[in-house]
Amino acid sequence: CVGAPFPGPDRINHSPAEIQAIVKQARPDWRIALENMKGVYVIHDQATGEPYVGSAYGDTGIWQRWSYYAATLHGDNVGLKAHLAAKGEDYFRKSMRFALLEFWSMRTDDQHVIDRETYWKEVLLSRSLGHNKN
């Protein structure tokens, strides 16, 4: 997957290790696509099914948000920090998966993105059964 071209926003299903490699290589096909879109994403644990729902909005775009995950693995999320501490970095890099749930142009209103993030947290029960703490 690491050497593979950008599959399209609706075909992302990548581990943190793969995201780290893509970011480290600054793959232009991935970077150009993801830095020009806002969106709602899920990071889920393949072993337990526990989801974390997040979003990228404002001026940053998905590329910048996911680059921060590549650097930290947890993106400064309380629930993901706890999961990482409990499971360890190797487990996290291999067992967690990134996917986009919805994506829009950078012209999309931030409140729409935030509202859709809230919707997906409710649908996927990411507060009660996953890693969202807000």
mmCIF file with all atom_site columns, all heavy atoms in Angstrom, residues 19-20 23 41 61-77 81 98:
data_model
loop_
_atom_site.group_PDB
_atom_site.id
_atom_site.type_symbol
_atom_site.label_atom_id
_atom_site.label_alt_id
_atom_site.label_comp_id
_atom_site.label_asym_id
_atom_site.label_entity_id
_atom_site.label_seq_id
_atom_site.pdbx_PDB_ins_code
_atom_site.Cartn_x
_atom_site.Cartn_y
_atom_site.Cartn_z
_atom_site.occupancy
_atom_site.B_iso_or_equiv
_atom_site.pdbx_formal_charge
_atom_site.auth_seq_id
_atom_site.auth_comp_id
_atom_site.auth_asym_id
_atom_site.auth_atom_id
_atom_site.pdbx_PDB_model_num
ATOM 1   N N   . ILE A 1 19 ? 0.324   5.308  6.812  1.00 0.00 ? 19 ILE A N   1
ATOM 2   C CA  . ILE A 1 19 ? 0.152   6.766  6.800  1.00 0.00 ? 19 ILE A CA  1
ATOM 3   C C   . ILE A 1 19 ? 1.488   7.437  7.122  1.00 0.00 ? 19 ILE A C   1
ATOM 4   O O   . ILE A 1 19 ? 1.865   8.429  6.481  1.00 0.00 ? 19 ILE A O   1
ATOM 5   C CB  . ILE A 1 19 ? -0.958  7.215  7.781  1.00 0.00 ? 19 ILE A CB  1
ATOM 6   C CG1 . ILE A 1 19 ? -2.327  6.619  7.385  1.00 0.00 ? 19 ILE A CG1 1
ATOM 7   C CG2 . ILE A 1 19 ? -1.017  8.736  7.886  1.00 0.00 ? 19 ILE A CG2 1
ATOM 8   C CD1 . ILE A 1 19 ? -2.878  7.087  6.062  1.00 0.00 ? 19 ILE A CD1 1
ATOM 9   N N   . GLN A 1 20 ? 2.227   6.895  8.088  1.00 0.00 ? 20 GLN A N   1
ATOM 10  C CA  . GLN A 1 20 ? 3.539   7.458  8.424  1.00 0.00 ? 20 GLN A CA  1
ATOM 11  C C   . GLN A 1 20 ? 4.474   7.422  7.221  1.00 0.00 ? 20 GLN A C   1
ATOM 12  O O   . GLN A 1 20 ? 5.168   8.404  6.951  1.00 0.00 ? 20 GLN A O   1
ATOM 13  C CB  . GLN A 1 20 ? 4.165   6.688  9.591  1.00 0.00 ? 20 GLN A CB  1
ATOM 14  C CG  . GLN A 1 20 ? 3.534   7.010  10.918 1.00 0.00 ? 20 GLN A CG  1
ATOM 15  C CD  . GLN A 1 20 ? 4.128   6.195  12.057 1.00 0.00 ? 20 GLN A CD  1
ATOM 16  O OE1 . GLN A 1 20 ? 4.400   5.004  11.924 1.00 0.00 ? 20 GLN A OE1 1
ATOM 17  N NE2 . GLN A 1 20 ? 4.328   6.846  13.189 1.00 0.00 ? 20 GLN A NE2 1
ATOM 18  N N   . VAL A 1 23 ? 3.363   10.034 4.607  1.00 0.00 ? 23 VAL A N   1
ATOM 19  C CA  . VAL A 1 23 ? 3.702   11.386 5.056  1.00 0.00 ? 23 VAL A CA  1
ATOM 20  C C   . VAL A 1 23 ? 5.210   11.606 4.976  1.00 0.00 ? 23 VAL A C   1
ATOM 21  O O   . VAL A 1 23 ? 5.666   12.649 4.504  1.00 0.00 ? 23 VAL A O   1
ATOM 22  C CB  . VAL A 1 23 ? 3.159   11.647 6.477  1.00 0.00 ? 23 VAL A CB  1
ATOM 23  C CG1 . VAL A 1 23 ? 3.742   12.923 7.073  1.00 0.00 ? 23 VAL A CG1 1
ATOM 24  C CG2 . VAL A 1 23 ? 1.630   11.711 6.462  1.00 0.00 ? 23 VAL A CG2 1
ATOM 25  N N   . TYR A 1 41 ? -13.269 11.515 9.544  1.00 0.00 ? 41 TYR A N   1
ATOM 26  C CA  . TYR A 1 41 ? -12.563 10.244 9.388  1.00 0.00 ? 41 TYR A CA  1
ATOM 27  C C   . TYR A 1 41 ? -12.808 9.355  10.604 1.00 0.00 ? 41 TYR A C   1
ATOM 28  O O   . TYR A 1 41 ? -13.257 9.805  11.656 1.00 0.00 ? 41 TYR A O   1
ATOM 29  C CB  . TYR A 1 41 ? -11.055 10.481 9.203  1.00 0.00 ? 41 TYR A CB  1
ATOM 30  C CG  . TYR A 1 41 ? -10.423 11.310 10.287 1.00 0.00 ? 41 TYR A CG  1
ATOM 31  C CD1 . TYR A 1 41 ? -9.957  10.732 11.465 1.00 0.00 ? 41 TYR A CD1 1
ATOM 32  C CD2 . TYR A 1 41 ? -10.311 12.687 10.144 1.00 0.00 ? 41 TYR A CD2 1
ATOM 33  C CE1 . TYR A 1 41 ? -9.395  11.502 12.472 1.00 0.00 ? 41 TYR A CE1 1
ATOM 34  C CE2 . TYR A 1 41 ? -9.742  13.464 11.142 1.00 0.00 ? 41 TYR A CE2 1
ATOM 35  C CZ  . TYR A 1 41 ? -9.288  12.864 12.302 1.00 0.00 ? 41 TYR A CZ  1
ATOM 36  O OH  . TYR A 1 41 ? -8.741  13.632 13.295 1.00 0.00 ? 41 TYR A OH  1
ATOM 37  N N   . GLY A 1 61 ? -6.939  21.081 6.472  1.00 0.00 ? 61 GLY A N   1
ATOM 38  C CA  . GLY A 1 61 ? -7.136  19.958 5.563  1.00 0.00 ? 61 GLY A CA  1
ATOM 39  C C   . GLY A 1 61 ? -6.735  18.642 6.204  1.00 0.00 ? 61 GLY A C   1
ATOM 40  O O   . GLY A 1 61 ? -6.102  18.591 7.262  1.00 0.00 ? 61 GLY A O   1
ATOM 41  N N   . ILE A 1 62 ? -7.118  17.575 5.559  1.00 0.00 ? 62 ILE A N   1
ATOM 42  C CA  . ILE A 1 62 ? -6.890  16.233 6.087  1.00 0.00 ? 62 ILE A CA  1
ATOM 43  C C   . ILE A 1 62 ? -5.393  15.900 6.118  1.00 0.00 ? 62 ILE A C   1
ATOM 44  O O   . ILE A 1 62 ? -4.916  15.262 7.055  1.00 0.00 ? 62 ILE A O   1
ATOM 45  C CB  . ILE A 1 62 ? -7.695  15.202 5.281  1.00 0.00 ? 62 ILE A CB  1
ATOM 46  C CG1 . ILE A 1 62 ? -9.194  15.453 5.517  1.00 0.00 ? 62 ILE A CG1 1
ATOM 47  C CG2 . ILE A 1 62 ? -7.313  13.775 5.662  1.00 0.00 ? 62 ILE A CG2 1
ATOM 48  C CD1 . ILE A 1 62 ? -10.106 14.786 4.535  1.00 0.00 ? 62 ILE A CD1 1
ATOM 49  N N   . TRP A 1 63 ? -4.648  16.324 5.103  1.00 0.00 ? 63 TRP A N   1
ATOM 50  C CA  . TRP A 1 63 ? -3.208  16.012 5.065  1.00 0.00 ? 63 TRP A CA  1
ATOM 51  C C   . TRP A 1 63 ? -2.494  16.492 6.331  1.00 0.00 ? 63 TRP A C   1
ATOM 52  O O   . TRP A 1 63 ? -1.754  15.748 6.955  1.00 0.00 ? 63 TRP A O   1
ATOM 53  C CB  . TRP A 1 63 ? -2.554  16.630 3.835  1.00 0.00 ? 63 TRP A CB  1
ATOM 54  C CG  . TRP A 1 63 ? -1.073  16.400 3.789  1.00 0.00 ? 63 TRP A CG  1
ATOM 55  C CD1 . TRP A 1 63 ? -0.097  17.287 4.139  1.00 0.00 ? 63 TRP A CD1 1
ATOM 56  C CD2 . TRP A 1 63 ? -0.398  15.201 3.384  1.00 0.00 ? 63 TRP A CD2 1
ATOM 57  N NE1 . TRP A 1 63 ? 1.144   16.716 3.975  1.00 0.00 ? 63 TRP A NE1 1
ATOM 58  C CE2 . TRP A 1 63 ? 0.984   15.437 3.517  1.00 0.00 ? 63 TRP A CE2 1
ATOM 59  C CE3 . TRP A 1 63 ? -0.832  13.957 2.927  1.00 0.00 ? 63 TRP A CE3 1
ATOM 60  C CZ2 . TRP A 1 63 ? 1.940   14.476 3.202  1.00 0.00 ? 63 TRP A CZ2 1
ATOM 61  C CZ3 . TRP A 1 63 ? 0.119   13.004 2.609  1.00 0.00 ? 63 TRP A CZ3 1
ATOM 62  C CH2 . TRP A 1 63 ? 1.485   13.260 2.760  1.00 0.00 ? 63 TRP A CH2 1
ATOM 63  N N   . GLN A 1 64 ? -2.742  17.724 6.723  1.00 0.00 ? 64 GLN A N   1
ATOM 64  C CA  . GLN A 1 64 ? -2.060  18.268 7.900  1.00 0.00 ? 64 GLN A CA  1
ATOM 65  C C   . GLN A 1 64 ? -2.499  17.530 9.162  1.00 0.00 ? 64 GLN A C   1
ATOM 66  O O   . GLN A 1 64 ? -1.670  17.222 10.021 1.00 0.00 ? 64 GLN A O   1
ATOM 67  C CB  . GLN A 1 64 ? -2.311  19.763 8.030  1.00 0.00 ? 64 GLN A CB  1
ATOM 68  C CG  . GLN A 1 64 ? -1.473  20.407 9.119  1.00 0.00 ? 64 GLN A CG  1
ATOM 69  C CD  . GLN A 1 64 ? -1.537  21.924 9.082  1.00 0.00 ? 64 GLN A CD  1
ATOM 70  O OE1 . GLN A 1 64 ? -1.976  22.517 8.118  1.00 0.00 ? 64 GLN A OE1 1
ATOM 71  N NE2 . GLN A 1 64 ? -1.084  22.548 10.150 1.00 0.00 ? 64 GLN A NE2 1
ATOM 72  N N   . ARG A 1 65 ? -3.785  17.234 9.260  1.00 0.00 ? 65 ARG A N   1
ATOM 73  C CA  . ARG A 1 65 ? -4.286  16.534 10.447 1.00 0.00 ? 65 ARG A CA  1
ATOM 74  C C   . ARG A 1 65 ? -3.673  15.141 10.530 1.00 0.00 ? 65 ARG A C   1
ATOM 75  O O   . ARG A 1 65 ? -3.215  14.712 11.584 1.00 0.00 ? 65 ARG A O   1
ATOM 76  C CB  . ARG A 1 65 ? -5.824  16.456 10.396 1.00 0.00 ? 65 ARG A CB  1
ATOM 77  C CG  . ARG A 1 65 ? -6.439  15.879 11.645 1.00 0.00 ? 65 ARG A CG  1
ATOM 78  C CD  . ARG A 1 65 ? -6.317  16.846 12.827 1.00 0.00 ? 65 ARG A CD  1
ATOM 79  N NE  . ARG A 1 65 ? -6.756  16.218 14.048 1.00 0.00 ? 65 ARG A NE  1
ATOM 80  C CZ  . ARG A 1 65 ? -5.947  15.915 15.079 1.00 0.00 ? 65 ARG A CZ  1
ATOM 81  N NH1 . ARG A 1 65 ? -4.677  16.211 15.045 1.00 0.00 ? 65 ARG A NH1 1
ATOM 82  N NH2 . ARG A 1 65 ? -6.432  15.339 16.143 1.00 0.00 ? 65 ARG A NH2 1
ATOM 83  N N   . TRP A 1 66 ? -3.678  14.434 9.421  1.00 0.00 ? 66 TRP A N   1
ATOM 84  C CA  . TRP A 1 66 ? -3.125  13.081 9.420  1.00 0.00 ? 66 TRP A CA  1
ATOM 85  C C   . TRP A 1 66 ? -1.610  13.084 9.560  1.00 0.00 ? 66 TRP A C   1
ATOM 86  O O   . TRP A 1 66 ? -1.025  12.144 10.084 1.00 0.00 ? 66 TRP A O   1
ATOM 87  C CB  . TRP A 1 66 ? -3.581  12.318 8.188  1.00 0.00 ? 66 TRP A CB  1
ATOM 88  C CG  . TRP A 1 66 ? -5.018  11.868 8.295  1.00 0.00 ? 66 TRP A CG  1
ATOM 89  C CD1 . TRP A 1 66 ? -5.941  12.233 9.233  1.00 0.00 ? 66 TRP A CD1 1
ATOM 90  C CD2 . TRP A 1 66 ? -5.686  10.961 7.433  1.00 0.00 ? 66 TRP A CD2 1
ATOM 91  N NE1 . TRP A 1 66 ? -7.138  11.614 8.990  1.00 0.00 ? 66 TRP A NE1 1
ATOM 92  C CE2 . TRP A 1 66 ? -7.006  10.834 7.889  1.00 0.00 ? 66 TRP A CE2 1
ATOM 93  C CE3 . TRP A 1 66 ? -5.286  10.260 6.294  1.00 0.00 ? 66 TRP A CE3 1
ATOM 94  C CZ2 . TRP A 1 66 ? -7.935  10.011 7.260  1.00 0.00 ? 66 TRP A CZ2 1
ATOM 95  C CZ3 . TRP A 1 66 ? -6.217  9.440  5.667  1.00 0.00 ? 66 TRP A CZ3 1
ATOM 96  C CH2 . TRP A 1 66 ? -7.534  9.314  6.149  1.00 0.00 ? 66 TRP A CH2 1
ATOM 97  N N   . SER A 1 67 ? -0.941  14.145 9.114  1.00 0.00 ? 67 SER A N   1
ATOM 98  C CA  . SER A 1 67 ? 0.498   14.263 9.321  1.00 0.00 ? 67 SER A CA  1
ATOM 99  C C   . SER A 1 67 ? 0.807   14.331 10.815 1.00 0.00 ? 67 SER A C   1
ATOM 100 O O   . SER A 1 67 ? 1.820   13.801 11.274 1.00 0.00 ? 67 SER A O   1
ATOM 101 C CB  . SER A 1 67 ? 1.050   15.509 8.616  1.00 0.00 ? 67 SER A CB  1
ATOM 102 O OG  . SER A 1 67 ? 0.948   15.374 7.222  1.00 0.00 ? 67 SER A OG  1
ATOM 103 N N   . TYR A 1 68 ? -0.082  14.974 11.549 1.00 0.00 ? 68 TYR A N   1
ATOM 104 C CA  . TYR A 1 68 ? 0.102   15.048 13.003 1.00 0.00 ? 68 TYR A CA  1
ATOM 105 C C   . TYR A 1 68 ? -0.072  13.665 13.631 1.00 0.00 ? 68 TYR A C   1
ATOM 106 O O   . TYR A 1 68 ? 0.658   13.299 14.551 1.00 0.00 ? 68 TYR A O   1
ATOM 107 C CB  . TYR A 1 68 ? -0.862  16.076 13.601 1.00 0.00 ? 68 TYR A CB  1
ATOM 108 C CG  . TYR A 1 68 ? -0.544  16.418 15.037 1.00 0.00 ? 68 TYR A CG  1
ATOM 109 C CD1 . TYR A 1 68 ? 0.715   16.893 15.400 1.00 0.00 ? 68 TYR A CD1 1
ATOM 110 C CD2 . TYR A 1 68 ? -1.488  16.268 16.029 1.00 0.00 ? 68 TYR A CD2 1
ATOM 111 C CE1 . TYR A 1 68 ? 1.016   17.208 16.718 1.00 0.00 ? 68 TYR A CE1 1
ATOM 112 C CE2 . TYR A 1 68 ? -1.200  16.578 17.348 1.00 0.00 ? 68 TYR A CE2 1
ATOM 113 C CZ  . TYR A 1 68 ? 0.053   17.034 17.686 1.00 0.00 ? 68 TYR A CZ  1
ATOM 114 O OH  . TYR A 1 68 ? 0.341   17.333 18.991 1.00 0.00 ? 68 TYR A OH  1
ATOM 115 N N   . TYR A 1 69 ? -1.022  12.891 13.132 1.00 0.00 ? 69 TYR A N   1
ATOM 116 C CA  . TYR A 1 69 ? -1.147  11.503 13.599 1.00 0.00 ? 69 TYR A CA  1
ATOM 117 C C   . TYR A 1 69 ? 0.106   10.708 13.258 1.00 0.00 ? 69 TYR A C   1
ATOM 118 O O   . TYR A 1 69 ? 0.569   9.893  14.060 1.00 0.00 ? 69 TYR A O   1
ATOM 119 C CB  . TYR A 1 69 ? -2.358  10.806 12.972 1.00 0.00 ? 69 TYR A CB  1
ATOM 120 C CG  . TYR A 1 69 ? -3.675  11.164 13.594 1.00 0.00 ? 69 TYR A CG  1
ATOM 121 C CD1 . TYR A 1 69 ? -4.567  12.001 12.950 1.00 0.00 ? 69 TYR A CD1 1
ATOM 122 C CD2 . TYR A 1 69 ? -4.044  10.659 14.834 1.00 0.00 ? 69 TYR A CD2 1
ATOM 123 C CE1 . TYR A 1 69 ? -5.778  12.332 13.502 1.00 0.00 ? 69 TYR A CE1 1
ATOM 124 C CE2 . TYR A 1 69 ? -5.256  10.981 15.405 1.00 0.00 ? 69 TYR A CE2 1
ATOM 125 C CZ  . TYR A 1 69 ? -6.124  11.826 14.739 1.00 0.00 ? 69 TYR A CZ  1
ATOM 126 O OH  . TYR A 1 69 ? -7.330  12.146 15.304 1.00 0.00 ? 69 TYR A OH  1
ATOM 127 N N   . ALA A 1 70 ? 0.662   10.926 12.081 1.00 0.00 ? 70 ALA A N   1
ATOM 128 C CA  . ALA A 1 70 ? 1.880   10.223 11.684 1.00 0.00 ? 70 ALA A CA  1
ATOM 129 C C   . ALA A 1 70 ? 3.018   10.528 12.656 1.00 0.00 ? 70 ALA A C   1
ATOM 130 O O   . ALA A 1 70 ? 3.807   9.650  12.995 1.00 0.00 ? 70 ALA A O   1
ATOM 131 C CB  . ALA A 1 70 ? 2.271   10.592 10.254 1.00 0.00 ? 70 ALA A CB  1
ATOM 132 N N   . ALA A 1 71 ? 3.083   11.771 13.119 1.00 0.00 ? 71 ALA A N   1
ATOM 133 C CA  . ALA A 1 71 ? 4.150   12.181 14.034 1.00 0.00 ? 71 ALA A CA  1
ATOM 134 C C   . ALA A 1 71 ? 3.927   11.675 15.456 1.00 0.00 ? 71 ALA A C   1
ATOM 135 O O   . ALA A 1 71 ? 4.884   11.318 16.145 1.00 0.00 ? 71 ALA A O   1
ATOM 136 C CB  . ALA A 1 71 ? 4.278   13.703 14.037 1.00 0.00 ? 71 ALA A CB  1
ATOM 137 N N   . THR A 1 72 ? 2.666   11.636 15.902 1.00 0.00 ? 72 THR A N   1
ATOM 138 C CA  . THR A 1 72 ? 2.366   11.339 17.312 1.00 0.00 ? 72 THR A CA  1
ATOM 139 C C   . THR A 1 72 ? 1.668   10.004 17.542 1.00 0.00 ? 72 THR A C   1
ATOM 140 O O   . THR A 1 72 ? 1.638   9.517  18.657 1.00 0.00 ? 72 THR A O   1
ATOM 141 C CB  . THR A 1 72 ? 1.445   12.421 17.900 1.00 0.00 ? 72 THR A CB  1
ATOM 142 O OG1 . THR A 1 72 ? 0.182   12.376 17.212 1.00 0.00 ? 72 THR A OG1 1
ATOM 143 C CG2 . THR A 1 72 ? 2.057   13.810 17.785 1.00 0.00 ? 72 THR A CG2 1
ATOM 144 N N   . LEU A 1 73 ? 1.064   9.448  16.521 1.00 0.00 ? 73 LEU A N   1
ATOM 145 C CA  . LEU A 1 73 ? 0.177   8.276  16.540 1.00 0.00 ? 73 LEU A CA  1
ATOM 146 C C   . LEU A 1 73 ? -1.177  8.565  17.176 1.00 0.00 ? 73 LEU A C   1
ATOM 147 O O   . LEU A 1 73 ? -2.159  7.970  16.806 1.00 0.00 ? 73 LEU A O   1
ATOM 148 C CB  . LEU A 1 73 ? 0.817   7.058  17.222 1.00 0.00 ? 73 LEU A CB  1
ATOM 149 C CG  . LEU A 1 73 ? 1.972   6.407  16.487 1.00 0.00 ? 73 LEU A CG  1
ATOM 150 C CD1 . LEU A 1 73 ? 2.533   5.238  17.305 1.00 0.00 ? 73 LEU A CD1 1
ATOM 151 C CD2 . LEU A 1 73 ? 1.537   5.892  15.113 1.00 0.00 ? 73 LEU A CD2 1
ATOM 152 N N   . HIS A 1 74 ? -1.255  9.486  18.125 1.00 0.00 ? 74 HIS A N   1
ATOM 153 C CA  . HIS A 1 74 ? -2.509  9.738  18.840 1.00 0.00 ? 74 HIS A CA  1
ATOM 154 C C   . HIS A 1 74 ? -3.172  11.063 18.494 1.00 0.00 ? 74 HIS A C   1
ATOM 155 O O   . HIS A 1 74 ? -4.323  11.300 18.863 1.00 0.00 ? 74 HIS A O   1
ATOM 156 C CB  . HIS A 1 74 ? -2.297  9.662  20.349 1.00 0.00 ? 74 HIS A CB  1
ATOM 157 C CG  . HIS A 1 74 ? -1.203  10.560 20.834 1.00 0.00 ? 74 HIS A CG  1
ATOM 158 N ND1 . HIS A 1 74 ? -1.266  11.934 20.755 1.00 0.00 ? 74 HIS A ND1 1
ATOM 159 C CD2 . HIS A 1 74 ? 0.002   10.274 21.380 1.00 0.00 ? 74 HIS A CD2 1
ATOM 160 C CE1 . HIS A 1 74 ? -0.161  12.470 21.244 1.00 0.00 ? 74 HIS A CE1 1
ATOM 161 N NE2 . HIS A 1 74 ? 0.639   11.477 21.626 1.00 0.00 ? 74 HIS A NE2 1
ATOM 162 N N   . GLY A 1 75 ? -2.480  11.950 17.809 1.00 0.00 ? 75 GLY A N   1
ATOM 163 C CA  . GLY A 1 75 ? -3.073  13.224 17.418 1.00 0.00 ? 75 GLY A CA  1
ATOM 164 C C   . GLY A 1 75 ? -3.534  14.094 18.568 1.00 0.00 ? 75 GLY A C   1
ATOM 165 O O   . GLY A 1 75 ? -4.392  14.945 18.408 1.00 0.00 ? 75 GLY A O   1
ATOM 166 N N   . ASP A 1 76 ? -3.010  13.856 19.770 1.00 0.00 ? 76 ASP A N   1
ATOM 167 C CA  . ASP A 1 76 ? -3.400  14.569 20.996 1.00 0.00 ? 76 ASP A CA  1
ATOM 168 C C   . ASP A 1 76 ? -4.827  14.280 21.436 1.00 0.00 ? 76 ASP A C   1
ATOM 169 O O   . ASP A 1 76 ? -5.431  15.081 22.152 1.00 0.00 ? 76 ASP A O   1
ATOM 170 C CB  . ASP A 1 76 ? -3.192  16.092 20.872 1.00 0.00 ? 76 ASP A CB  1
ATOM 171 C CG  . ASP A 1 76 ? -1.801  16.508 21.315 1.00 0.00 ? 76 ASP A CG  1
ATOM 172 O OD1 . ASP A 1 76 ? -1.151  15.736 22.052 1.00 0.00 ? 76 ASP A OD1 1
ATOM 173 O OD2 . ASP A 1 76 ? -1.368  17.599 20.921 1.00 0.00 ? 76 ASP A OD2 1
ATOM 174 N N   . ASN A 1 77 ? -5.371  13.151 21.043 1.00 0.00 ? 77 ASN A N   1
ATOM 175 C CA  . ASN A 1 77 ? -6.709  12.761 21.489 1.00 0.00 ? 77 ASN A CA  1
ATOM 176 C C   . ASN A 1 77 ? -6.585  11.941 22.773 1.00 0.00 ? 77 ASN A C   1
ATOM 177 O O   . ASN A 1 77 ? -5.823  10.974 22.830 1.00 0.00 ? 77 ASN A O   1
ATOM 178 C CB  . ASN A 1 77 ? -7.403  11.929 20.409 1.00 0.00 ? 77 ASN A CB  1
ATOM 179 C CG  . ASN A 1 77 ? -7.573  12.728 19.144 1.00 0.00 ? 77 ASN A CG  1
ATOM 180 O OD1 . ASN A 1 77 ? -8.207  13.767 19.150 1.00 0.00 ? 77 ASN A OD1 1
ATOM 181 N ND2 . ASN A 1 77 ? -6.992  12.261 18.059 1.00 0.00 ? 77 ASN A ND2 1
ATOM 182 N N   . LYS A 1 81 ? -4.667  8.435  23.146 1.00 0.00 ? 81 LYS A N   1
ATOM 183 C CA  . LYS A 1 81 ? -3.457  8.403  23.982 1.00 0.00 ? 81 LYS A CA  1
ATOM 184 C C   . LYS A 1 81 ? -3.531  7.230  24.960 1.00 0.00 ? 81 LYS A C   1
ATOM 185 O O   . LYS A 1 81 ? -2.553  6.507  25.147 1.00 0.00 ? 81 LYS A O   1
ATOM 186 C CB  . LYS A 1 81 ? -3.302  9.712  24.763 1.00 0.00 ? 81 LYS A CB  1
ATOM 187 C CG  . LYS A 1 81 ? -2.748  10.857 23.980 1.00 0.00 ? 81 LYS A CG  1
ATOM 188 C CD  . LYS A 1 81 ? -2.608  12.074 24.902 1.00 0.00 ? 81 LYS A CD  1
ATOM 189 C CE  . LYS A 1 81 ? -1.958  13.233 24.203 1.00 0.00 ? 81 LYS A CE  1
ATOM 190 N NZ  . LYS A 1 81 ? -1.843  14.407 25.090 1.00 0.00 ? 81 LYS A NZ  1
ATOM 191 N N   . PHE A 1 98 ? -7.079  3.873  9.286  1.00 0.00 ? 98 PHE A N   1
ATOM 192 C CA  . PHE A 1 98 ? -7.629  5.185  8.935  1.00 0.00 ? 98 PHE A CA  1
ATOM 193 C C   . PHE A 1 98 ? -8.553  5.038  7.735  1.00 0.00 ? 98 PHE A C   1
ATOM 194 O O   . PHE A 1 98 ? -8.197  4.358  6.768  1.00 0.00 ? 98 PHE A O   1
ATOM 195 C CB  . PHE A 1 98 ? -6.503  6.138  8.508  1.00 0.00 ? 98 PHE A CB  1
ATOM 196 C CG  . PHE A 1 98 ? -5.712  6.732  9.621  1.00 0.00 ? 98 PHE A CG  1
ATOM 197 C CD1 . PHE A 1 98 ? -4.780  5.968  10.310 1.00 0.00 ? 98 PHE A CD1 1
ATOM 198 C CD2 . PHE A 1 98 ? -5.890  8.058  9.979  1.00 0.00 ? 98 PHE A CD2 1
ATOM 199 C CE1 . PHE A 1 98 ? -4.029  6.525  11.331 1.00 0.00 ? 98 PHE A CE1 1
ATOM 200 C CE2 . PHE A 1 98 ? -5.141  8.623  11.005 1.00 0.00 ? 98 PHE A CE2 1
ATOM 201 C CZ  . PHE A 1 98 ? -4.210  7.848  11.683 1.00 0.00 ? 98 PHE A CZ  1
#
